[in-house]
Amino acid sequence: MSFAEGILNGKSAIVTGGATGIGSSIVRKLGTLGAKVGIVSRKEENLIAAVRAFKEDDGIDVAWRTGDVRDPDGIKNSFDELADEIGGIDILVCNAAGNFICPTEELSWNGWRTVIEIDLNGTFNSCQAALIHLKAAKDGGRIISISTGQAEFGWPGAAHAGAAKSGIQNLMKTISVEWGKYGIRANWVNPGPIKGTEGVDRLIIQQGLEKQVTKNIPLGTFGEGEDIANAIVYLSSDTGRYVSGAGIAVDGGSQWQRFL
Ligand code: HXC
C-alpha cells in the first residue's frame, strides 16, 4: 500500500523525534517517497541506530542533529543546519513528545512542566524555528503536528499530556490562520494506539489496559506506524494543498469511543 513513487521528490522534511516510534515510520515513508529528511532528537545513540536502519532497510540517507525541542535556540540552530544539508524545509512534522502516567493529585510541578515543555512548547519552538524556511517552500510549507484523540476528553493520569495535546491542536488552528498568507498549511493528526511504540507499551500495555482499549476500537485492532505516515504524506504532498487548520483521526474509528 503506497502513494505514487517519487510523490515527494524535491521536498525536504524535518521530523522531530524521528529516531523512534511513530516518528521513525514517518521518516521511512517520507524518505522512500523521495523527500530529503532530517531528524532531531535528544539521544545520539537512538539517532545513530535509526539512521543506520533507514539506510539498511530502506536505502535512504537521513540527516540528523541531536537537539531538545524544549531549547528554542538549540532547535533553531539544528533546523538551520539541517535545512542547509537537505535543501530547505518544505515539511515540518512536530512529533517529539513525552508522557507518563501519574494521577494529577500526585503530579509534581516539574512533572507537569516537563511534559508541557516537550509537547506544547516544543511544538511552538519547532514551528518558529522552521518558519523562515517554510516561508521559502515553493509549493507552500506544511506543518503537521502529532496530537491525540485523547486530548478531546479528560485523560485520567495524563493531565499534562492531555492539556499539551489540546494546546497543540489550538496552536495549529491559530498558525493556519496567521501563516496562511505565507502559503503555509498547518494541520494535526490524532493517532489511535499504534503497535510497537514505547508510548503505547508504557501507557496502555504495562497498565494492563490492552484488552479494554482494543474493545473500544471499532476496527478492533491497534494501528501501525505506517497508517500515521500515510496521513502525513497526504497532508505533505500536493494532495493536501487545500487542507489547513484541520485534524485527521487515524485511529480505527475510536475517536467516538472512550479508550479508558
Ligand atoms: C511521576 C514522573 C514520572 C512518572 C517522570 N516524572 N516520570 N512523575 N511518574 N512515571 C517526573 C520526575 O519525577 C520529574 O519531576 C519530572 O517528571 C521530570 O522528569 P525527568 O526524568 O527529569 O524528565 P526528562 O529526563 O526530561 O524526561 C521526560 C519524560 C520521559 C517525559 C519524563 O518520560 C521521557 O523522556 N519520555 C520520552 C518518550 C516518551 O514519553 N514517549 C511517549 C510519548 S507517548 P520531579 O518533581 O521529581 O523533579 C504519547 C502519546 C501516547 O505522547 C498515547 C497513548 C494512547
Side-chain angles (χ1 to χ4, degrees), residues 211-231:
K211 268 196 186 143
Q212 183 185 329
V213 170
T214 306
K215 196 159 55 79
N216 284 320
I217 302 172
L219 291 179
T221 179
F222 283 21
E224 297 183 14
E226 189 180 8
D227 297 316
I228 308 308
N230 285 332

Side-chain angles (χ1 to χ4, degrees), residues 42-43 70 97-102 107-112 114-115 118-119 148 150 155 161 165 192-193 198-200 202-204 259:
R42 276 184 291 165
K43 294 187 185 143
R70 288 173 283 193
N99 201 353
F100 55 82
I101 295 295
C102 182
L107 184 59
S108 70
W109 158 245
N110 197 31
W112 165 265
T114 296
V115 172
I118 298 171
D119 293 18
T148 170
Q150 287 293 111
W155 192 355
K165 295 286 190 179
E198 188 263 46
V200 161
R202 201 157 39 80
L203 274 75
I204 294 178
F259 280 159

